[in-house]
């Protein structure tokens, strides 16, 4: 199932960090079982680069949430600003997640999460 919500007429630019924090606060207040998926590599001081640990998948969304409307449903929530776009790795992750009946949300604000039933 694909749910894609957009804020086409947004007058205020909102950063992805603000969207992420707002959605996490909303999910916490609503009592959902969720967690952030930090996907930044580990900084290697010798090489002065961020290294991705083995078996860490690229394109992983910002938030995972388990909801129980009638049966357990996994939600993957990718937070974007009003002008943010998905990377090719994020699009691939979305395809794979939906293939296994997960619900993938491209959220630009709390309203998009609410529209999905959370």
């Amino acid at each position: 199932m694909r749910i894609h919500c957009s804020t086409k007429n947004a007058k205020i630019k909102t950063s992805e960090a603000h969207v992420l924090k707002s959605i996490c606060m909303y999910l916490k207040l609503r009592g959902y079982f969720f967690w952030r998926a930090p996907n930044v590599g580990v900084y290697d001081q010798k090489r002065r680069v961020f290294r991705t640990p083995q078996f860490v998948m690229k394109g992983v969304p910002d938030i995972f949430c388990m909801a129980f409307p009638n049966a357990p449903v996994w939600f993957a929530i990718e937070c974007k600003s009003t002008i943010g776009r998905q990377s090719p790795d994020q699009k691939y992750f979305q395809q794979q997640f939906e293939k296994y009946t997960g619900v993938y949300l491209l959220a630009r604000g709390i309203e998009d999460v609410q529209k999905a039933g959370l």
Side-chain angles (χ1 to χ4, degrees):
M1 173 197 254
R2 179 178 301 190
I3 298 174
H4 176 78
C5 305
S6 65
T7 311
K8 291 183 180 179
N9 297 325
K11 295 178 182 175
I12 300 171
K13 289 184 180 178
T14 307
S15 71
E16 290 182 18
H18 179 76
V19 173
L20 176 63
K21 186 174 182 179
S22 298
I23 291 173
C24 284
M25 290 174 63
Y26 170 80
L27 293 172
K28 183 176 181 174
L29 288 170
R30 296 289 305 228
Y32 283 105
F33 175 62
F34 76 97
W35 65 94
R36 284 193 55 200
N39 46 14
V40 177
V42 177
Y43 187 70
D44 184 339
Q45 290 186 353
K46 289 183 181 179
R47 296 182 185 174
R48 296 183 181 194
V49 295
F50 283 94
R51 293 186 305 129
T52 304
Q54 189 177 16
F55 305 115
V56 172
M57 180 180 265
K58 291 183 179 181
V60 174
D62 299 306
I63 303 168
F64 285 97
C65 180
M66 172 67 84
F68 294 90
N70 294 319
V73 178
W74 281 104
F75 287 86
I77 306 169
E78 177 61 37
C79 300
K80 292 291 180 190
S81 68
T82 53
I83 60 171
R85 297 178 188 257
Q86 283 179 294
S87 70
D89 290 327
Q90 290 169 335
K91 289 178 181 179
Y92 176 76
F93 186 93
Q94 177 179 355
Q95 291 170 347
Q96 294 302 306
F97 193 75
E98 291 171 344
K99 178 179 172 181
Y100 293 100
T101 69
V103 178
Y104 188 96
L105 302 175
L106 185 58
R108 299 181 189 281
I110 295 170
E111 308 81 27
D112 296 334
V113 175
Q114 292 170 332
K115 287 178 188 175
L118 290 174

